[in-house]
Amino acid sequence: MYTVLLLAAVALSAVQHAFAASAPSGTFNILSMNVAGLPEILNGNGESGDKTTNTAIIGQDMAKFAYDVIHVQEDFNYHATLYANDNHTFRTATSGGVPFGSGLNTLSNFDWVDFTRIKWATCSDASENDCLTPKGFTFMRVRVDEGVYVDFYNLHADAGTEPGDETARAANLQQVADYIDVWSTGNAVLVFGDTNARYTRVGDGIRVFSTQNGLTDAWVQDAAHGVVPAIGAPALLCPDGVPANISCEVVDKVLYRGSKVITLANTGFFYDTSRFLSSDLATLSDHNPVRVEFAWTLASTLRQSDLQGGPHGTWFTDLPGVPSSPKASVLMLRGAARLDAVGISLTSGASFTHGGTGGTAVSLTLAAGEAVVSGTLCWGQHDGDTRNFYALFTTTAGRTLTAGTLTASCATMTAPAGFGIVGFFGQSGDEMDQLGFIYAKQ
Ligand SMILES: *[C@@H]1O[C@H](CO)[C@@H](O)[C@H](O)[C@H]1NC(C)=O
Ligand SMILES: *[C@@H]1O[C@H](CO)[C@@H](O)[C@H](O)[C@H]1NC(C)=O
């Protein structure tokens, strides 16, 4: 008992992060913009003005309108100019110009975890040299507020309308859909970027996001009143210049879904072309920048903590399996040098375990009415990767359960008043790489 209390005191004194409980709801907006940053010599894009000047204005407008999260595509050879003129706090490092980079970057007011760049498995040079540079998609879990994670996907799919292009583009979109099924199961998702796809075109495969992933297209919702344009119908091309309204369809799509804990609502779809013009009112890119305003609301009976640890292992979440009115009955941990596994059984009979079989197993059986209300996690480096080394959980009765080895980097996360831990989410392999808690109202 003495040891446990001493460790707890050390862990608490080593806390590095302060947590402010999440608001129950909020808003943010996003912008998707193909910034036409291929070298001038390869692709003039038909825009007037030189690309360095145009890119500087794009960066200034991104700062001026303070978009919450921006996905850019074709951010190749004018990248330094874009970032020099923008001021977002969180921005991805470039993967390089042509022919090294994907042209995909994110500029954000929110931090994220688990940023990953994925190359397309298929590309086609049938037209437009899509294999010239390693295009693909990116993934990140954006932290909108404490425990409010939305998985953001940026993409730039194969261009052109030759049969080879159509095949490659459909394969690209399928690749993202399959990735979502693995890495975003149970999570809120936002896909926005240059899909190079139209609902009206045969074979583009854009419908995969609604049929396979349950995503809603913000343009279909607002401009087409929920009616997806028919395949083979005339293309709803936008005019050159500033579109008068959002009735025309662009290939820059915004698709989204919520989760059991986060409801996402589209509160407005816009072409922001008029915000991105040169001093002589010419467009700066051959794509209309797309903005969508979102409102998010947390479920009244469920919450999540922040994630701690490193971006390794495989994604899991107990959220889809948490029954209504869940109550924990047994908490289980495995640990030794590091934290090997976590598990929880509920009074409903549901049981969740994650991690490996190493370490020593310990468990705590909860009394009726007793809930697990806080958890301290400590992390460190193993083989060059960050993972969780230690966990200490505390119940409403003041009882504790610990496993693993303390480090100097710890955080204590506490359930909102009246809530208790009923599950976990994060990433694991044979140990607990990354871990967060699912709280339910007790
Ligand atoms: C970025 O600059 C704009 C003005 O262009 C300002 O309104 C905004 O607050 C700045 N944002 C940050 C994160 O500094
Ligand atoms: C949208 O603008 C086009 C002109 O580009 C016009 O023909 C059409 O009627 C407008 N649609 C709506 C719904 O206002």
Side-chain angles (χ1 to χ4, degrees):
M1 195 59 188
Y2 172 76
T3 313
V4 167
L5 290 175
L6 181 66
L7 288 175
V10 172
L12 293 172
S13 71
V15 165
Q16 293 191 334
H17 299 258
F19 296 97
S22 171
S25 62
T27 60
F28 63 86
N29 66 12
I30 63 90
L31 182 81
S32 186
M33 185 169 187
N34 181 315
V35 295
L38 281 166
E40 186 95 48
I41 194 163
L42 286 178
N43 186 339
N45 289 120
E47 304 309 306
S48 60
D50 88 13
K51 289 206 178 192
T52 303
T53 307
N54 287 355
T55 304
I57 301 170
I58 291 172
Q60 288 156 19
D61 288 339
M62 286 177 171
K64 178 174 161 191
F65 293 103
Y67 296 100
D68 286 311
V69 185
I70 303 170
H71 282 174
V72 292
Q73 305 84 36
E74 279 189 33
D75 176 24
F76 289 117
N77 292 42
Y78 307 87
H79 172 77
T81 300
L82 185 74
Y83 276 19
N85 285 276
D86 165 77
N87 66 353
H88 281 80
T89 309
F90 303 97
R91 307 190 296 195
T92 52
T94 180
S95 53
V98 172
F100 305 106
S102 69
L104 302 176
N105 279 307
T106 301
L107 304 84
S108 173
N109 291 334
F110 305 124
D111 202 356
W112 59 73
V113 294
D114 299 359
F115 177 63
T116 314
R117 294 183 180 276
I118 302 104
K119 190 176 174 298
W120 296 134
T122 311
C123 64
S124 166
D125 280 337
S127 64
E128 309 208 22
N129 301 315
D130 286 283
C131 305
L132 172 67
T133 198
K135 293 188 350 183
F137 66 101
T138 65
F139 164 77
M140 56 170 66
R141 253 186 260 292
V142 173
R143 181 191 180 278
V144 175
D145 203 333
E146 184 187 341
V148 182
Y149 291 97
V150 179
D151 293 347
F152 278 55
Y153 291 84
N154 185 8
L155 73 163
H156 192 185
D158 212 279
T161 51
E162 300 292 322
D165 300 320
E166 292 288 350
T167 306
R169 179 158 54 247
N172 296 162
L173 302 181
Q174 183 67 52
Q175 190 180 341
V176 178
D178 291 346
Y179 195 94
I180 290 171
D181 278 350
V182 175
W183 290 94
S184 296
T185 283
N187 245 17
V189 170
L190 255 172
V191 176
F192 58 106
D194 182 352
T195 66
N196 267 314
R198 295 180 173 281
Y199 284 102
T200 52
R201 207 151 52 199
V202 179
D204 271 6
I206 184 67
R207 286 163 172 77
V208 72
F209 293 119
S210 73
T211 55
Q212 184 170 324
N213 306 122
L215 304 187
T216 298
D217 183 308
W219 175 82
V220 170
Q221 226 178 355
D222 285 16
H225 309 293
V227 181
V228 180
I231 295 175
L236 301 162
L237 297 176
C238 285
D240 284 341
V242 180
N245 55 50
I246 59 167
S247 297
C248 56
E249 180 186 5
V250 298
V251 298
D252 311 270
K253 306 292 190 201
V254 181
L255 304 116
Y256 70 97
R257 75 174 185 210
S259 71
K260 219 165 155 175
V261 66
I262 305 160
T263 300
L264 273 181
N266 157 19
T267 60
F269 179 101
F270 304 89
Y271 292 141
D272 270 358
T273 319
S274 63
R275 289 182 171 183
F276 291 86
L277 297 175
S278 68
S279 53
D280 54 358
L281 304 184
T283 52
L284 304 169
S285 162
D286 55 338
H287 287 247
N288 291 299
V290 176
R291 169 170 52 103
V292 177
E293 300 285 336
F294 284 100
W296 57 269
T297 312
L298 295 182
S300 57
T301 57
L302 290 170
R303 290 287 192 279
Q304 292 183 155
S305 75
D306 273 349
L307 287 164
Q308 308 297 345
H312 314 287
T314 305
W315 166 250
F316 67 86
T317 176
D318 297 332
L319 199 52
V322 168
S324 56
S325 306
K327 305 222 181 309
S329 57
V330 185
L331 180 65
M332 298 156 282
L333 301 173
R334 298 188 74 92
R338 295 173 295 281
L339 182 62
D340 292 275
V342 297
I344 197 161
S345 293
L346 306 181
T347 55
S348 69
S351 187
F352 311 114
T353 56
H354 306 285
T357 53
T360 305
V362 291
S363 69
L364 180 66
T365 299
L366 301 170
E370 185 178 14
V372 184
V373 285
S374 86
T376 297
L377 296 174
C378 302
W379 55 93
Q381 295 273 308
H382 177 65
D383 289 343
D385 287 342
T386 302
R387 53 176 75 178
N388 285 296
F389 276 48
Y390 175 84
L392 178 154
F393 290 94
T394 307
T395 74
T396 41
R399 298 198 295 156
T400 59
L401 187 67
T402 70
T405 303
L406 210 55
T407 71
S409 305
C410 304
T412 296
M413 302 182 289
T414 303
F419 284 63
I421 296 173
V422 297
F424 300 99
F425 71 113
Q427 295 185 189
S428 65
D430 55 0
E431 296 183 356
M432 299 310 302
D433 297 277
Q434 189 182 60
L435 187 60
F437 314 142
I438 296 168
Y439 307 119
K441 197 159 211 158
Q442 297 298 292

